[in-house]
Amino acid sequence: MSRAILRFWRRGFWAALGALTVVGCGREYPQSTIHPVTDFGEISHHLYVKVFWWTMLILAVVAVLLTYVLVRFRERPGQDRPKPVHGHVGLEIAWTVVPAMIVVAIVIPSVQGVFQTYRLQEERDPLVVHVVGKRYWWSFHYPQLGVTTANELHLPVGRPVALRLESGDVIHSFWVPMLGGKRDVNPVVAVPEGEEPKRNWLYFTIKEAGVYWGQCAEFCGEAHSLMGLRVVAQSEEAFQEWVEAWRTPAPTANPPVEGVAAQTGAGAVSAEPAAAGASAAAAASETTAEAAEDPLIARGRQVFFRESYCVLCHAIQGTPAPGVIGPNLTRLGSRMTLAAGMLENNQENLERWIRDPRSVKPGAQMPGAQYPVTYEGQTFPPTNLNDEQIRALAAWLLSMK
Ligand code: CUA
């Protein structure tokens, strides 16, 4: 090989190594498994590091032996052909026993690690969240707080968390790599009365505030890869603020006072939570105290409650919308993403999602403006919303921050 070619390859090697180093040291990987931020994550990370270094040790031993053999037994001029070895009992025992020992050495700490992650449940007073995976989104219900949200899970830093996992349809898997996991999200199987159905749980305490990306990790259908989620880990105060905001109807959630009677009297929705009236009035006075409401937002509210059947599937806290089939939309405007982590949350994307959800997510269970869906044997017709209605609807939903 000429010297120029050699130089070319040598430069290429160093350039590639440099590039890999730069890329490898970055921290902008939102689904990294090697930057754990929970006790659970640390358990599996320690295991990973331990096994990694053992593997490196094995690699070194093999490389040294191989080099020795290549040098020691290389072909030399005038040398006879070496004698082949057949049926060497000592060798056969060695290459059976050594790998078996390596496997055992990996299995023992792995099994210990699994039990360790379950011991995390002994933490007192965890914040419980009922996680329900559905094709293709996530519902999060906080039974102790009476809060329900979707796709963006808010959790306080430093407080033990217990996630109860179940599926509304097929098997999913809850995986937020930086928090540790993953764990299967299974449909609940019927059990004899009085018995508690079996569900998987996940326990951890987050140590660092941040937004952590997650992903369904069990193939569940055509949009499996589009079933993302975000975990918003925040200080206890910020978390409490978020809970308070969720409980308080957004200023634009309900119509200003003069509209209330008209809506509750003749509205398309008859199921009205007992508290909605009072909170509606409170929110309304807040609205009227401010400048007159944006007509587009008022129009969007009208479309939601009177000109569509959104309320059959969606709920919004403090309004008469009671649906539980689809994601809870309370304070949708404050979310970062739409469609389970797939789209940035803005007017344009929300309009696209409402008009044609399957263009974003094949198999999405929400009807489009032009096509129906069948969900659990029930057919929901096309929403038939026109562009003007969709624009207003999106503007209203986004106004509730
Ligand atoms: Cu849900 Cu894959």
Side-chain angles (χ1 to χ4, degrees):
M1 218 188 298
S2 83
R3 201 160 270 178
I5 296 176
L6 203 66
R7 200 159 50 222
F8 172 79
W9 281 110
R10 201 181 298 151
R11 279 185 189 160
F13 171 77
W14 286 114
L17 191 69
L20 280 175
T21 310
V22 170
V23 171
C25 293
R27 274 218 63 173
E28 67 275 29
Y29 299 102
Q31 299 200 148
S32 166
T33 54
I34 55 172
H35 294 117
V37 296
T38 65
D39 42 6
F40 187 122
E42 275 166 12
I43 291 169
S44 44
H45 186 62
H46 284 160
L47 190 62
Y48 166 75
V49 170
K50 215 185 273 182
V51 172
F52 174 81
W53 287 115
W54 287 345
T55 319
M56 287 300 109
L57 183 68
I58 294 165
L59 177 72
V61 170
V62 170
V64 166
L65 281 177
L66 184 67
T67 313
Y68 171 77
V69 168
L70 285 176
V71 174
R72 173 76 178 74
F73 299 104
R74 72 186 188 279
E75 191 179 18
R76 292 188 177 91
Q79 196 181 37
D80 292 340
R81 305 203 83 196
K83 202 169 75 110
V85 179
H86 289 289
H88 192 295
V89 179
L91 267 183
E92 284 182 17
I93 289 176
W95 70 50
T96 307
V97 169
V98 173
M101 278 163 53
I102 294 172
V103 170
V104 170
I106 292 173
V107 163
I108 291 174
S110 302
V111 172
Q112 279 175 336
V114 169
F115 281 100
Q116 246 178 311
T117 62
Y118 275 96
R119 271 203 296 277
L120 298 174
Q121 69 178 291
E122 288 155 16
E123 302 269 12
R124 272 173 304 155
D125 288 333
L127 174 68
V128 176
V129 184
H130 293 173
V131 176
V132 182
K134 294 192 185 182
R135 283 183 292 175
Y136 299 94
W137 61 280
W138 301 91
S139 167
F140 303 117
H141 174 64
Y142 303 68
Q144 298 144 322
L145 306 171
V147 167
T148 305
T149 188
N151 299 325
E152 286 180 13
L153 174 61
H154 286 248
L155 294 173
V157 169
R159 186 148 36 128
V161 170
L163 305 184
R164 191 188 80 173
L165 309 170
E166 74 176 66
S167 166
D169 37 53
V170 299
I171 301 175
H172 305 273
S173 179
F174 184 90
W175 192 33
V176 182
M178 289 178 75
L179 305 187
K182 56 192 87 151
R183 195 144 284 169
D184 275 3
V185 178
N186 299 323
V188 176
V189 178
V191 291
E193 236 184 83
E195 265 180 51
E196 183 69 15
K198 262 200 160 151
R199 293 182 177 93
N200 282 343
W201 288 76
L202 194 55
Y203 310 96
F204 53 76
T205 305
I206 302 179
K207 301 182 171 177
E208 210 178 290
V211 176
Y212 305 113
W213 293 35
Q215 169 65 42
C216 177
E218 180 72 47
F219 182 72
C220 53
E222 56 202 314
H224 154 70
S225 65
L226 307 176
M227 187 173 165
L229 71 132
R230 297 280 190 279
V231 173
V232 181
Q234 50 201 165
S235 67
E236 191 68 47
E237 300 76 53
F239 176 72
Q240 291 305 337
E241 265 172 43
W242 175 77
V243 170
E244 258 337 289
W246 189 93
R247 287 176 174 157
T248 321
T252 55
N254 292 293
V257 191
E258 53 277 17
V260 170
Q263 193 214 339
T264 50
V269 184
S270 53
E272 189 176 356
S279 50
S285 60
E286 200 177 319
T287 317
T288 40
E290 291 166 16
E293 190 179 37
D294 181 343
L296 186 65
I297 288 172
R299 174 81 184 110
R301 187 171 49 232
Q302 188 180 32
V303 173
F304 187 85
F305 286 109
R306 309 252 200 106
E307 297 172 21
S308 71
Y309 58 89
C310 305
V311 294
L312 287 185
C313 301
H314 297 287
I316 297 176
Q317 172 66 8
T319 78
V324 292
I325 296 174
N328 187 300
L329 300 180
T330 305
R331 300 271 177 176
L332 186 83
S334 69
R335 295 189 198 160
M336 291 169 283
T337 62
L338 297 169
M342 286 309 121
L343 296 175
E344 195 190 322
N345 187 13
N346 59 38
Q347 174 77 23
E348 189 190 338
N349 286 339
L350 185 51
E351 285 181 30
R352 177 181 167 198
W353 175 251
I354 296 169
R355 183 178 297 113
D356 186 3
R358 291 197 169 170
S359 74
V360 178
K361 191 174 285 196
Q365 311 276 344
M366 182 163 92
Q370 301 302 328
Y371 51 77
V373 294
T374 302
Y375 182 80
E376 291 184 351
Q378 200 180 345
T379 299
F380 295 87
T383 60
N384 284 320
L385 294 172
N386 62 35
D387 286 353
E388 179 270 328
Q389 290 170 310
I390 290 174
R391 198 162 71 89
L393 190 51
W396 177 63
L397 289 168
L398 291 178
S399 76
M400 294 181 284
K401 292 188 198 302

